[in-house]
Coordinates of all heavy atoms in Angstrom, one line a residue:
K1442 N 0.8 -1.2 0.0 CA 0.0 0.0 0.0 C 0.8 1.2 0.0 O 0.6 2.2 -0.7 CB -0.9 -0.1 1.2 CG -1.8 1.2 1.4 CD -3.1 0.9 1.3 CE -3.9 2.2 1.6 NZ -4.9 2.4 0.6
R1443 N 1.9 1.3 0.8 CA 2.8 2.4 0.9 C 3.6 2.6 -0.4 O 3.8 3.7 -0.9 CB 3.8 2.2 2.0 CG 4.8 3.3 2.1 CD 5.3 3.6 3.5 NE 6.4 4.5 3.6 CZ 6.3 5.7 3.5 NH1 5.2 6.4 3.3 NH2 7.4 6.5 3.6
F1444 N 3.9 1.5 -1.0 CA 4.7 1.6 -2.3 C 3.8 2.2 -3.4 O 4.3 3.1 -4.1 CB 5.1 0.2 -2.7 CG 6.0 0.1 -3.9 CD1 7.4 0.7 -3.8 CD2 5.6 -0.4 -5.0 CE1 8.2 0.6 -4.9 CE2 6.4 -0.4 -6.2 CZ 7.7 0.1 -6.1
S1445 N 2.6 1.8 -3.5 CA 1.7 2.3 -4.6 C 1.4 3.9 -4.2 O 1.2 4.6 -5.2 CB 0.5 1.6 -4.8 OG -0.3 1.5 -3.6
G1446 N 1.3 4.1 -3.0 CA 1.0 5.5 -2.6 C 2.2 6.4 -3.0 O 2.0 7.6 -3.4
S1447 N 3.4 5.9 -2.9 CA 4.5 6.7 -3.2 C 4.7 6.9 -4.8 O 5.1 7.9 -5.2 CB 5.8 6.1 -2.8 OG 5.9 5.9 -1.3
Q1448 N 4.2 5.9 -5.6 CA 4.1 6.1 -6.9 C 3.2 7.1 -7.4 O 3.4 8.0 -8.3 CB 3.8 4.8 -7.7 CG 5.0 3.8 -7.6 CD 4.6 2.5 -8.1 OE1 3.4 2.1 -8.3 NE2 5.6 1.7 -8.5
S1449 N 2.0 7.2 -6.7 CA 1.0 8.2 -7.1 C 1.4 9.5 -6.5 O 0.9 10.6 -7.0 CB -0.4 7.8 -6.5 OG -0.4 7.8 -5.1
A1450 N 2.4 9.6 -5.6 CA 2.8 10.9 -5.1 C 3.5 11.7 -6.1 O 3.8 12.9 -6.0 CB 3.6 10.6 -3.8
L1451 N 4.0 11.0 -7.1 CA 4.8 11.8 -8.2 C 3.9 12.7 -8.9 O 4.4 13.7 -9.4 CB 5.3 10.7 -9.2 CG 6.4 9.9 -8.8 CD1 6.7 8.8 -9.9 CD2 7.7 10.7 -8.5
L1452 N 2.6 12.6 -8.8 CA 1.7 13.5 -9.4 C 1.5 14.7 -8.5 O 1.0 15.7 -9.0 CB 0.3 12.9 -9.7 CG 0.5 11.6 -10.7 CD1 -0.9 11.0 -10.8 CD2 1.0 12.1 -12.0
D1453 N 1.7 14.6 -7.3 CA 1.6 15.7 -6.3 C 3.0 16.1 -5.7 O 3.4 15.3 -4.8 CB 0.5 15.3 -5.2 CG 0.3 16.4 -4.3 OD1 0.7 17.6 -4.6 OD2 -0.3 16.2 -3.2
P1454 N 3.7 17.0 -6.2 CA 5.0 17.3 -5.7 C 5.1 17.7 -4.3 O 6.1 17.4 -3.6 CB 5.4 18.5 -6.6 CG 4.6 18.6 -7.7 CD 3.3 17.9 -7.3
K1455 N 4.1 18.3 -3.7 CA 4.2 18.6 -2.2 C 4.2 17.4 -1.3 O 4.9 17.4 -0.3 CB 2.9 19.5 -1.8 CG 2.8 20.8 -2.5 CD 1.6 21.5 -2.1 CE 1.5 22.8 -2.9 NZ 0.2 23.4 -2.8
M1456 N 3.5 16.3 -1.8 CA 3.6 15.1 -1.0 C 4.8 14.4 -1.0 O 5.2 13.9 0.1 CB 2.4 14.2 -1.5 CG 2.2 12.9 -0.7 SD 0.8 12.1 -1.5 CE 0.8 10.7 -0.5
I1457 N 5.5 14.4 -2.0 CA 6.8 13.6 -2.1 C 8.0 14.4 -1.5 O 8.9 13.9 -0.9 CB 7.2 13.2 -3.6 CG1 8.3 12.1 -3.5 CG2 7.6 14.4 -4.3 CD1 8.3 11.3 -4.7
V1458 N 7.9 15.8 -1.4 CA 8.9 16.5 -0.8 C 8.9 16.4 0.7 O 9.9 16.3 1.4 CB 8.8 18.0 -1.1 CG1 9.7 18.9 -0.2 CG2 9.1 18.3 -2.6
E1459 N 7.7 16.1 1.3 CA 7.5 15.9 2.7 C 8.0 14.5 3.1 O 8.5 14.4 4.2 CB 6.0 16.1 3.1 CG 5.6 17.5 2.9 CD 4.1 17.6 3.2 OE1 3.4 16.6 3.4 OE2 3.6 18.8 3.1
D1460 N 7.8 13.6 2.3 CA 8.2 12.1 2.6 C 9.1 11.6 1.6 O 8.8 11.2 0.4 CB 6.9 11.3 2.7 CG 7.2 9.9 3.0 OD1 8.1 9.6 3.8 OD2 6.4 9.0 2.6
A1461 N 10.4 11.6 1.9 CA 11.4 11.1 0.9 C 11.9 9.7 1.3 O 12.9 9.6 2.1 CB 12.5 12.1 0.9
D1462 N 11.2 8.7 0.9 CA 11.6 7.3 1.2 C 12.5 6.9 0.1 O 12.4 7.4 -1.0 CB 10.4 6.4 1.4 CG 9.7 6.2 0.1 OD1 9.7 7.1 -0.7 OD2 9.0 5.1 0.1
L1463 N 13.3 6.0 0.5 CA 14.3 5.4 -0.5 C 14.1 3.9 -0.8 O 14.9 3.3 -1.6 CB 15.7 5.6 0.0 CG 16.1 7.1 0.0 CD1 17.5 7.2 0.6 CD2 16.1 7.7 -1.3
A1464 N 13.0 3.3 -0.2 CA 12.9 1.9 -0.5 C 12.4 1.6 -2.0 O 12.9 0.7 -2.6 CB 11.8 1.4 0.4
G1465 N 11.5 2.5 -2.5 CA 11.1 2.3 -3.9 C 12.2 2.5 -4.9 O 12.4 1.7 -5.8
P1466 N 12.9 3.6 -4.8 CA 14.0 3.9 -5.6 C 15.0 2.9 -5.6 O 15.6 2.5 -6.7 CB 14.5 5.3 -5.3 CG 13.4 5.9 -4.6 CD 12.6 4.9 -3.9
L1467 N 15.4 2.3 -4.5 CA 16.3 1.3 -4.4 C 15.8 0.0 -5.0 O 16.6 -0.6 -5.8 CB 16.7 0.9 -2.9 CG 17.9 -0.1 -2.7 CD1 19.2 0.5 -3.4 CD2 18.1 -0.3 -1.3
A1468 N 14.5 -0.3 -4.9 CA 14.0 -1.5 -5.6 C 14.0 -1.2 -7.1 O 14.3 -2.2 -7.8 CB 12.5 -1.6 -5.1
F1469 N 13.6 -0.1 -7.5 CA 13.7 0.2 -9.0 C 15.1 0.1 -9.5 O 15.3 -0.4 -10.7 CB 13.1 1.6 -9.4 CG 11.6 1.7 -9.2 CD1 11.1 2.8 -8.8 CD2 10.8 0.5 -9.4 CE1 9.7 2.9 -8.7 CE2 9.5 0.6 -9.3 CZ 8.9 1.8 -8.9
A1470 N 16.1 0.5 -8.8 CA 17.5 0.5 -9.3 C 18.0 -1.0 -9.3 O 18.6 -1.5 -10.2 CB 18.5 1.3 -8.4
L1471 N 17.6 -1.8 -8.2 CA 18.0 -3.2 -8.3 C 17.2 -4.0 -9.4 O 17.8 -4.9 -10.0 CB 17.6 -3.8 -6.9 CG 18.5 -3.4 -5.8 CD1 18.0 -4.0 -4.5 CD2 19.9 -3.9 -6.1
L1472 N 15.9 -3.6 -9.7 CA 15.2 -4.3 -10.7 C 15.8 -3.9 -12.1 O 15.9 -4.8 -13.0 CB 13.8 -3.7 -10.7 CG 12.8 -4.3 -11.8 CD1 12.7 -5.8 -11.5 CD2 11.5 -3.6 -11.7
L1473 N 16.3 -2.6 -12.3 CA 16.9 -2.3 -13.5 C 18.2 -3.1 -13.7 O 18.5 -3.5 -14.8 CB 17.2 -0.8 -13.6 CG 17.8 -0.3 -14.8 CD1 16.9 -0.5 -16.0 CD2 18.1 1.2 -14.7
G1474 N 19.0 -3.2 -12.6 CA 20.2 -4.0 -12.6 C 20.0 -5.4 -13.0 O 20.6 -6.1 -13.8
G1475 N 18.9 -6.0 -12.4 CA 18.5 -7.4 -12.7 C 18.0 -7.5 -14.2 O 18.3 -8.6 -14.8
E1476 N 17.3 -6.6 -14.7 CA 16.9 -6.6 -16.1 C 18.1 -6.6 -17.0 O 18.1 -7.3 -18.1 CB 15.9 -5.5 -16.4 CG 14.5 -5.8 -15.7 CD 13.7 -4.4 -15.8 OE1 14.2 -3.4 -16.1 OE2 12.4 -4.6 -15.6
L1477 N 19.1 -5.7 -16.7 CA 20.3 -5.7 -17.5 C 21.1 -6.9 -17.4 O 21.7 -7.4 -18.3 CB 21.1 -4.5 -17.2 CG 20.5 -3.2 -17.5 CD1 21.3 -2.0 -17.0 CD2 20.5 -3.0 -19.1
L1478 N 21.0 -7.6 -16.2 CA 21.8 -8.8 -16.0 C 21.2 -9.9 -16.8 O 21.9 -10.8 -17.3 CB 21.7 -9.2 -14.5 CG 22.5 -10.3 -14.1 CD1 24.1 -10.0 -14.3 CD2 22.3 -10.6 -12.6
L1479 N 19.8 -9.9 -17.0 CA 19.2 -10.9 -17.8 C 19.6 -10.8 -19.3 O 19.5 -11.8 -20.0 CB 17.7 -10.8 -17.6 CG 17.1 -11.3 -16.3 CD1 15.6 -11.0 -16.2 CD2 17.4 -12.8 -16.1
T1480 N 19.9 -9.6 -19.7 CA 20.4 -9.4 -21.1 C 21.8 -9.8 -21.3 O 22.4 -9.8 -22.4 CB 20.1 -8.0 -21.6 OG1 21.0 -7.1 -20.8 CG2 18.7 -7.6 -21.5
G1481 N 22.5 -10.2 -20.2 CA 23.9 -10.5 -20.3 C 24.9 -9.4 -20.1 O 26.1 -9.6 -20.4
K1482 N 24.4 -8.3 -19.6 CA 25.3 -7.1 -19.4 C 25.3 -6.8 -17.9 O 24.3 -6.7 -17.3 CB 24.7 -5.9 -20.2 CG 24.6 -6.1 -21.7 CD 23.9 -4.9 -22.3 CE 23.7 -5.3 -23.8 NZ 22.9 -4.2 -24.4
I1483 N 26.5 -6.7 -17.4 CA 26.7 -6.4 -16.0 C 27.0 -4.9 -15.8 O 28.1 -4.5 -16.1 CB 27.7 -7.3 -15.3 CG1 27.4 -8.8 -15.5 CG2 27.9 -6.9 -13.9 CD1 28.4 -9.8 -15.1
H1484 N 26.1 -4.2 -15.5 CA 26.3 -2.7 -15.4 C 25.8 -2.1 -14.1 O 25.4 -0.9 -14.0 CB 25.4 -2.0 -16.5 CG 25.8 -2.2 -17.9 ND1 27.0 -1.8 -18.4 CD2 25.2 -3.0 -18.9 CE1 27.2 -2.2 -19.6 NE2 26.0 -2.9 -19.9
F1485 N 26.0 -2.8 -13.0 CA 25.5 -2.3 -11.6 C 26.4 -1.1 -11.3 O 25.8 -0.1 -10.8 CB 25.7 -3.4 -10.6 CG 24.7 -4.5 -10.7 CD1 25.1 -5.7 -11.1 CD2 23.4 -4.2 -10.3 CE1 24.1 -6.8 -11.2 CE2 22.4 -5.2 -10.4 CZ 22.8 -6.5 -10.8
G1486 N 27.6 -1.1 -11.6 CA 28.4 0.2 -11.2 C 28.0 1.3 -12.0 O 28.0 2.4 -11.4
Y1487 N 27.7 1.1 -13.2 CA 27.3 2.3 -14.1 C 26.0 2.9 -13.5 O 25.8 4.0 -13.5 CB 27.2 1.8 -15.5 CG 28.4 1.6 -16.2 CD1 28.7 0.3 -16.7 CD2 29.4 2.6 -16.3 CE1 29.8 0.0 -17.3 CE2 30.6 2.2 -17.0 CZ 30.8 1.0 -17.4 OH 32.0 0.7 -18.1
I1488 N 25.1 2.0 -13.1 CA 23.7 2.4 -12.7 C 23.9 3.2 -11.3 O 23.3 4.3 -11.2 CB 22.8 1.2 -12.4 CG1 22.5 0.5 -13.8 CG2 21.5 1.6 -11.7 CD1 21.8 -0.7 -13.6
Y1489 N 24.6 2.6 -10.4 CA 24.7 3.4 -9.1 C 25.7 4.5 -9.3 O 25.4 5.6 -8.6 CB 25.3 2.4 -8.1 CG 24.3 1.3 -7.8 CD1 24.7 -0.1 -7.8 CD2 23.0 1.5 -7.4 CE1 23.8 -1.1 -7.5 CE2 22.1 0.6 -7.1 CZ 22.4 -0.7 -7.2 OH 21.6 -1.7 -6.9
G1490 N 26.7 4.5 -10.1 CA 27.5 5.7 -10.2 C 26.8 6.8 -10.8 O 27.0 8.0 -10.4
F1491 N 26.1 6.5 -11.9 CA 25.4 7.5 -12.6 C 24.2 8.1 -11.7 O 24.0 9.3 -11.7 CB 24.8 6.9 -14.0 CG 24.2 8.0 -14.8 CD1 24.9 8.9 -15.6 CD2 22.8 8.1 -14.9 CE1 24.4 9.8 -16.4 CE2 22.2 9.0 -15.8 CZ 23.0 9.8 -16.5
G1492 N 23.6 7.2 -11.0 CA 22.6 7.7 -10.1 C 23.1 8.6 -9.0 O 22.5 9.6 -8.7
V1493 N 24.1 8.2 -8.4 CA 24.8 9.1 -7.3 C 25.2 10.4 -7.8 O 24.9 11.5 -7.2 CB 25.9 8.4 -6.6 CG1 26.7 9.3 -5.7 CG2 25.4 7.2 -5.8
F1494 N 25.9 10.4 -9.0 CA 26.3 11.6 -9.6 C 25.1 12.5 -10.0 O 25.1 13.7 -9.8 CB 27.2 11.3 -10.8 CG 27.7 12.6 -11.6 CD1 28.7 13.3 -11.0 CD2 27.2 13.0 -12.7 CE1 29.2 14.5 -11.6 CE2 27.6 14.1 -13.4 CZ 28.6 14.9 -12.7
G1495 N 24.1 11.9 -10.6 CA 23.0 12.6 -11.0 C 22.2 13.2 -9.8 O 21.8 14.4 -9.7
C1496 N 22.1 12.5 -8.7 CA 21.4 13.0 -7.5 C 22.2 14.2 -6.8 O 21.6 15.2 -6.4 CB 21.2 11.9 -6.4 SG 20.0 10.7 -6.9
L1497 N 23.5 14.0 -6.7 CA 24.4 15.1 -6.2 C 24.3 16.3 -7.0 O 24.2 17.5 -6.5 CB 25.8 14.5 -5.9 CG 25.9 13.5 -4.8 CD1 27.4 13.0 -4.7 CD2 25.4 14.0 -3.5
S1498 N 24.4 16.1 -8.4 CA 24.5 17.4 -9.2 C 23.1 18.0 -9.3 O 23.0 19.3 -9.3 CB 24.9 17.0 -10.6 OG 24.1 16.1 -11.2
M1499 N 22.0 17.2 -9.2 CA 20.7 17.8 -9.2 C 20.4 18.6 -7.9 O 19.8 19.7 -7.9 CB 19.7 16.8 -9.4 CG 18.3 17.4 -9.6 SD 18.0 18.4 -11.0 CE 18.0 17.2 -12.3
T1500 N 20.9 18.0 -6.8 CA 20.8 18.7 -5.5 C 21.5 20.0 -5.5 O 21.1 21.0 -5.0 CB 21.3 17.8 -4.4 OG1 20.5 16.5 -4.4 CG2 21.1 18.5 -3.0
L1501 N 22.7 20.0 -6.0 CA 23.5 21.2 -6.2 C 22.8 22.3 -6.9 O 22.7 23.4 -6.6 CB 24.9 20.9 -6.7 CG 25.8 22.1 -6.9 CD1 26.2 22.7 -5.5 CD2 27.0 21.8 -7.8
I1502 N 22.3 21.9 -8.1 CA 21.6 22.9 -9.0 C 20.3 23.4 -8.3 O 20.1 24.6 -8.3 CB 21.3 22.2 -10.3 CG1 22.6 22.0 -11.2 CG2 20.3 23.1 -11.2 CD1 22.3 21.0 -12.3
L1503 N 19.6 22.5 -7.6 CA 18.4 23.0 -7.0 C 18.6 23.9 -5.8 O 17.9 24.9 -5.6 CB 17.5 21.8 -6.5 CG 16.8 21.0 -7.6 CD1 16.2 19.8 -7.0 CD2 15.8 21.9 -8.3
N1504 N 19.7 23.6 -5.0 CA 20.0 24.5 -4.0 C 20.6 25.8 -4.4 O 20.5 26.8 -3.7 CB 21.0 23.7 -3.0 CG 20.2 22.7 -2.2 OD1 19.1 22.9 -1.8 ND2 20.8 21.6 -1.9
L1505 N 21.3 25.8 -5.5 CA 21.8 27.1 -6.1 C 20.6 27.9 -6.6 O 20.7 29.2 -6.6 CB 22.8 26.9 -7.1 CG 24.2 26.3 -6.6 CD1 25.1 26.0 -7.9 CD2 24.9 27.3 -5.7
M1506 N 19.7 27.3 -7.1 CA 18.5 28.1 -7.7 C 17.6 28.6 -6.6 O 16.9 29.5 -6.8 CB 17.7 27.2 -8.7 CG 18.4 26.9 -10.0 SD 17.6 25.7 -11.0 CE 16.0 26.3 -11.1
S1507 N 17.6 27.9 -5.4 CA 16.7 28.3 -4.3 C 17.5 28.3 -3.1 O 17.4 27.4 -2.2 CB 15.5 27.3 -4.3 OG 14.8 27.6 -3.1
P1508 N 18.2 29.3 -2.8 CA 19.1 29.4 -1.5 C 18.2 29.6 -0.3 O 18.7 29.3 0.7 CB 20.0 30.6 -1.8 CG 19.3 31.4 -2.8 CD 18.5 30.5 -3.6
S1509 N 17.0 30.1 -0.4 CA 16.2 30.4 0.8 C 15.7 29.0 1.4 O 15.5 28.9 2.6 CB 15.1 31.3 0.5 OG 14.2 30.7 -0.5
Q1510 N 15.3 28.0 0.5 CA 14.8 26.8 1.0 C 15.6 25.7 0.6 O 15.6 25.4 -0.7 CB 13.3 26.6 0.6 CG 12.7 25.5 1.1 CD 11.2 25.4 0.7 OE1 10.7 26.2 0.0 NE2 10.5 24.4 1.1
A1511 N 16.3 25.0 1.4 CA 17.2 23.9 1.0 C 16.4 22.6 0.6 O 15.5 22.2 1.2 CB 18.2 23.6 2.1
V1512 N 17.0 22.0 -0.4 CA 16.4 20.7 -0.8 C 17.4 19.6 -0.4 O 18.6 19.7 -0.8 CB 16.2 20.6 -2.3 CG1 15.6 19.3 -2.7 CG2 15.3 21.8 -2.7
S1513 N 17.0 18.6 0.3 CA 17.8 17.6 0.8 C 18.2 16.6 -0.4 O 17.5 16.4 -1.4 CB 17.3 16.7 1.9 OG 16.3 15.9 1.5
V1514 N 19.3 15.9 -0.2 CA 19.9 14.9 -1.2 C 18.9 13.8 -1.2 O 18.6 13.1 -2.3 CB 21.2 14.4 -0.8 CG1 21.7 13.4 -1.7 CG2 22.2 15.5 -0.8
W1515 N 18.2 13.4 0.0 CA 17.3 12.3 0.1 C 16.1 12.5 -0.7 O 15.5 11.6 -1.3 CB 17.0 11.9 1.5 CG 18.3 11.7 2.3 CD1 18.7 12.5 3.3 CD2 19.4 10.9 2.1 NE1 19.9 12.1 3.8 CE2 20.4 11.1 3.0 CE3 19.5 9.8 1.1 CZ2 21.5 10.4 3.1 CZ3 20.7 9.0 1.3 CH2 21.7 9.4 2.2
T1516 N 15.6 13.7 -0.8 CA 14.4 14.1 -1.5 C 14.7 14.0 -3.0 O 13.8 13.4 -3.7 CB 13.9 15.5 -1.1 OG1 13.7 15.6 0.2 CG2 12.7 15.9 -1.9
V1517 N 15.8 14.5 -3.4 CA 16.1 14.3 -4.8 C 16.3 12.9 -5.2 O 15.9 12.5 -6.3 CB 17.4 15.2 -5.1 CG1 17.9 15.0 -6.6 CG2 17.1 16.7 -4.9
A1518 N 17.1 12.1 -4.4 CA 17.2 10.7 -4.7 C 15.9 9.9 -4.8 O 15.7 9.1 -5.7 CB 18.1 10.1 -3.7
S1519 N 15.0 10.4 -4.0 CA 13.6 9.7 -4.0 C 12.9 10.0 -5.2 O 12.4 9.2 -6.0 CB 12.9 10.1 -2.8 OG 11.6 9.6 -2.8
I1520 N 12.9 11.3 -5.6 CA 12.2 11.7 -6.8 C 12.8 11.1 -8.1 O 12.1 10.6 -8.9 CB 12.2 13.3 -6.9 CG1 11.3 13.8 -5.8 CG2 11.6 13.7 -8.3 CD1 11.4 15.3 -5.7
L1521 N 14.1 11.2 -8.1 CA 14.8 10.6 -9.4 C 14.7 9.1 -9.4 O 14.7 8.4 -10.5 CB 16.3 11.0 -9.4 CG 16.4 12.5 -9.7 CD1 18.0 12.8 -9.7 CD2 15.9 13.0 -11.0
G1522 N 14.7 8.5 -8.2 CA 14.6 7.0 -8.1 C 13.2 6.5 -8.6 O 13.1 5.5 -9.4
Y1523 N 12.1 7.3 -8.2 CA 10.8 6.9 -8.7 C 10.6 7.1 -10.1 O 9.7 6.6 -10.8 CB 9.7 7.5 -7.8 CG 9.5 6.8 -6.5 CD1 9.8 7.4 -5.4 CD2 8.8 5.6 -6.6 CE1 9.5 6.7 -4.2 CE2 8.6 4.9 -5.4 CZ 9.0 5.5 -4.2 OH 8.7 4.8 -3.0
A1524 N 11.4 8.0 -10.7 CA 11.4 8.3 -12.2 C 12.0 7.1 -13.0 O 11.9 7.1 -14.2 CB 12.1 9.7 -12.4
L1525 N 12.6 6.2 -12.3 CA 13.1 5.0 -12.9 C 12.0 4.0 -13.4 O 12.3 3.1 -14.1 CB 14.2 4.3 -12.1 CG 15.6 4.9 -12.0 CD1 16.4 4.0 -11.0 CD2 16.1 4.9 -13.4
L1526 N 10.8 4.2 -12.9 CA 9.7 3.3 -13.2 C 9.5 3.2 -14.7 O 9.4 2.0 -15.2 CB 8.4 3.8 -12.5 CG 7.1 2.9 -12.8 CD1 7.5 1.5 -12.3 CD2 6.0 3.5 -12.2
P1527 N 9.4 4.2 -15.5 CA 9.3 4.1 -17.0 C 10.5 3.4 -17.6 O 10.3 2.5 -18.6 CB 9.1 5.5 -17.6 CG 8.8 6.4 -16.4 CD 9.4 5.6 -15.2
V1528 N 11.7 3.7 -17.1 CA 12.9 3.0 -17.7 C 12.8 1.5 -17.4 O 13.1 0.7 -18.2 CB 14.1 3.6 -17.0 CG1 15.4 2.9 -17.4 CG2 14.2 5.1 -17.3
N1529 N 12.3 1.1 -16.2 CA 12.2 -0.3 -15.9 C 11.1 -1.1 -16.8 O 11.4 -2.1 -17.3 CB 11.8 -0.5 -14.4 CG 13.0 -0.4 -13.5 OD1 14.1 -0.7 -13.9 ND2 12.8 0.1 -12.3
L1530 N 10.1 -0.3 -17.0 CA 9.1 -0.8 -18.0 C 9.6 -1.0 -19.3 O 9.3 -2.0 -19.9 CB 7.8 0.0 -18.0 CG 7.1 0.1 -16.7 CD1 5.9 1.2 -16.8 CD2 6.5 -1.3 -16.3
L1531 N 10.4 -0.1 -19.9 CA 10.9 -0.2 -21.2 C 11.9 -1.3 -21.2 O 12.1 -2.0 -22.2 CB 11.5 1.1 -21.6 CG 10.4 2.2 -22.0 CD1 11.1 3.5 -22.2 CD2 9.6 1.8 -23.1
A1532 N 12.8 -1.4 -20.1 CA 13.8 -2.5 -20.1 C 13.1 -3.9 -20.1 O 13.6 -4.7 -20.6 CB 14.7 -2.3 -19.0
A1533 N 11.9 -3.9 -19.4 CA 11.3 -5.2 -19.3 C 10.7 -5.6 -20.7 O 10.6 -6.8 -21.0 CB 10.2 -5.2 -18.2
V1534 N 10.3 -4.7 -21.4 CA 9.7 -4.9 -22.7 C 10.7 -5.4 -23.7 O 10.5 -6.3 -24.5 CB 9.0 -3.7 -23.3 CG1 8.6 -3.8 -24.8 CG2 7.7 -3.4 -22.4
K1535 N 11.9 -4.7 -23.6 CA 13.0 -5.1 -24.5 C 13.6 -6.4 -24.1 O 13.9 -7.3 -24.7 CB 14.0 -4.1 -24.4 CG 15.1 -4.3 -25.5 CD 16.2 -3.3 -25.4 CE 17.3 -3.7 -26.4 NZ 18.5 -3.0 -26.3

């Protein structure tokens, strides 16, 4: 129930900023790694490295654009992690 509620929270930005969980994004990253593993490609390092770099750089950009209200790394990681859902669906189709 909580997992599906977090997915629907992507439509309401205020809801996801208040609750930045990382269980769903971690599951999506592991699922993407598993899908790539099934194709015979081992890219776990690329997935996590690109994800960490993207989260840190997006946090930096957001905090530079809005210095009055700070955005945490965990909030950005949660939002970008849940954005992996369409990538996982496309990887499953392929």
